[in-house]
Amino acid sequence: MLGEPWHRIISITSTDPDRSPARHPGGDYALDRGFRGIAWTSAALILALVAYIIVEIGGKALPAIAEYGFGFLTSTTWNVQEGHFGILPEIWGTLYSSLLALILGGVFGITIAIFLTQDFLPSRLAVVFRTIIELLAAIPSVVFGLWGIYVLIPMLRPAANWLHEEFGVVPFFGTSLSGPGLAPAALVLAIMILPTVASISVDALRQIPYKVKEAAYGMGTTRWEAILKVMLPTAGSGILAALVLGFGRALGETMALAMLIGNSNQISLSLFAPANTLAALLASNFPEAGEVEVQALMYAALALLAITLVVNIVGLAAMKFATRKFEAER
Amino acid sequence: MNAIAETAAVEAAPTTTFGNTVMDCQVQKIFYGDFLAVRDSHLPIEKNKIIGFIGPSGCGKSTVLRSLNRMNDLIPVFRFEGKVTYHGQDIYDKKVDPVVVRRYIGMVFQQPNPFSMSIYDNVAFGLRLNRFKGNMDERVEKALNGAALWNEVKDKLKNSGLSLSGGQQQRLCIARAIATEPDVLLMDEPCSALDPIATRKVEELMLELKENYTIAIVTHNMQQAMRVADTTAFMGVDISQGSRTGYLVEMGATQRIFEDPQEELTRKYVRGEFS
């Protein structure tokens, strides 16, 4: 290449046939372009896939949207014989169970992350612990469901019924737990989102440079003051991301919930009442659904998709805001 | 090097104890695990003066500085033998809480390390920590003024401390450290991450601060020690025992250390013959 006068090879990546890289002995540029092509195609395929899914579900849901309109989202009956479809109880159940799971899983996940990163454990033990928690994510949903039915519900029932008898006036304990219900479902959900929340929070806390910790102790903080007043706020946007992802996971979780929540079309504040979620509704009704019900289910799927999308967008915006406000130069 | 190190036994090091000593640091041995990092160094620190610690890398000057407010306690294998008195009280006494020590003896670090919170909250951090009940705004303004930063940030106190430039961040850290009005300020190479203009500003600031504070600064820039320090402590590395152990070679008025050092090792160092 260097043997040729340089002006004849002004551009080695040019597509001009006169100076094309085809004359160039190395295959580097072809490889370069090839890789770029693959990367672009993959990215475009993902977009196309998402668009296709939305269009397809939307298309199938179209008759139901035309038929039931906005009332579908605010009506509370699901009666196939009479052709009445409404998903308000499912929307409520989805949000309520996910919120409970987020509170429980969030508190435990963040606590575990603090425990694993702030020198409470020798680092080798912390790695072992973290691996075990991440293994929780590998347990199939249906196994969690079975565990819930055979272990968790019988375990919860005496406590739940005692709470109902003693504090029945409190809306949260307004009913007794007779089997599947919101409480066992939310508990299992909390366990299922725990690995997500914990491991992303661990990463966020671990990314904090040592100098920040030094600054905190240098100001004369105790260990807990350093953690609560400096480390957690510093990792704030990362922990927020952990919670958003955990919440997103909880919203979409299907199998364990279909087994545990009771699939009952009602809106109740009570933790022990059976309820239903959108994902569970889809899973349990699809197998035997006729044409009209399938259209309604597609509409419900679209609603679930919209909820997760909104949650993720709001979460991303909150994270952006937190990052811009407090971590300007990081 | 060996021979020089051996001749400079600590007993020979001229250390004068002055009347107005705020802190008196008497190191016998500082260990990191089995490694003897610093031995026999006596460093009295006088009120309203700036003491500069100079010496080649690995001489333990940062280690000694960080022993003065028990920052080294963060390192599990760290062990201190000796005594550091602060207003007559040994801070390594068993009944002394290192957290309290650090509230009274402020520290500024090598890398600017503001917290990821607003400028205001950074400065107010120590005050809140100590449950300060007075006029917070006034104290924050005073500290920022003290750190020569007020005019640059007064209109954006709600912005993140991390949005400032490196030099401003370091002055913010100084403001954070002086907001609680500690009487001793430890500075561990505070300018090593700053450009010359920012360095100049921090140096001018130190000269202003010494009216109210006592400052101990570690620097590997001899010119900086000459510009700001009243007293200079030169530390050397003793490699005669097969490992690298730091010790105080000589301490005295800055001008004397640089113009008329008593020790051969000091003379060679200030001439720039090794570093």
Side-chain angles (χ1 to χ4, degrees), chain A residues 284-295:
Chain A
S284 36
N285 289 35
F286 250 117
E288 288 157 29
E291 200 194 335
V292 181
E293 194 180 3
V294 165
Q295 290 164 355

Side-chain angles (χ1 to χ4, degrees), chain A residues 219 221 229-230, chain B residues 115 117 121-129:
Chain A
M219 291 301 297
T221 59
K229 295 182 180 167
V230 177
Chain B
F115 298 131
M117 43 180 92
D121 289 342
N122 261 286
V123 182
F125 187 85
L127 296 169
R128 288 180 181 143
L129 207 59

